[in-house]
């Protein structure tokens, strides 16, 4: 994109009654965003190795209730017990 003015995008949540949010991005920032997106998320290789080892030797313990609660909270926000 050319120019230096802001570019507006409307982010519409999927399957939600929440109103759309307007996100404003300066066109100069778009190249930085594109580079970051092409690199993918940061990965902690040492943490990945620790988890692989723990899974392989059977010492990794997952709490399915905690995982489910965090997944719900990430989408809907914290919920009361």
């Amino acid at each position: 994109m050319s120019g230096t003015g802001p570019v507006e995008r409307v982010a519409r949540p999927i399957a939600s009654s929440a109103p759309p949010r307007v996100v404003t991005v300066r066109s100069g920032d778009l190249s930085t965003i594109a580079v970051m997106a092409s690199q993918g998320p940061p990965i902690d290789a040492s943490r990945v190795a620790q988890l692989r080892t723990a899974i392989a030797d059977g010492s990794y313990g997952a709490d399915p209730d905690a995982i489910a609660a965090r997944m719900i909270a990430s989408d809907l926000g914290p919920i009361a017990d």
Side-chain angles (χ1 to χ4, degrees), residues 56-80:
D57 69 18
S59 64
Y60 179 78
D63 180 354
D65 292 331
I67 293 169
R70 286 182 182 165
M71 289 174 69
I72 292 168
S74 72
D75 191 43
L76 302 177
I79 55 173

Side-chain angles (χ1 to χ4, degrees):
M1 297 185 96
S2 62
T4 58
V7 176
E8 289 189 359
R9 301 279 188 239
V10 177
R12 299 192 187 281
I14 298 173
S16 174
S17 61
R21 292 179 278 170
V22 175
V23 178
T24 302
V25 177
R26 289 191 175 103
S27 60
D29 295 335
L30 292 177
S31 62
T32 301
I33 294 168
V35 168
M36 291 172 66
S38 70
Q39 293 173 346
I43 297 172
D44 183 346
S46 65
R47 179 70 177 140
V48 171
Q50 289 173 341
L51 291 170
R52 285 185 175 169
T53 301
I55 291 168
D57 69 18
S59 64
Y60 179 78
D63 180 354
D65 292 331
I67 293 169
R70 286 182 182 165
M71 289 174 69
I72 292 168
S74 72
D75 191 43
L76 302 177
I79 55 173
D81 288 329

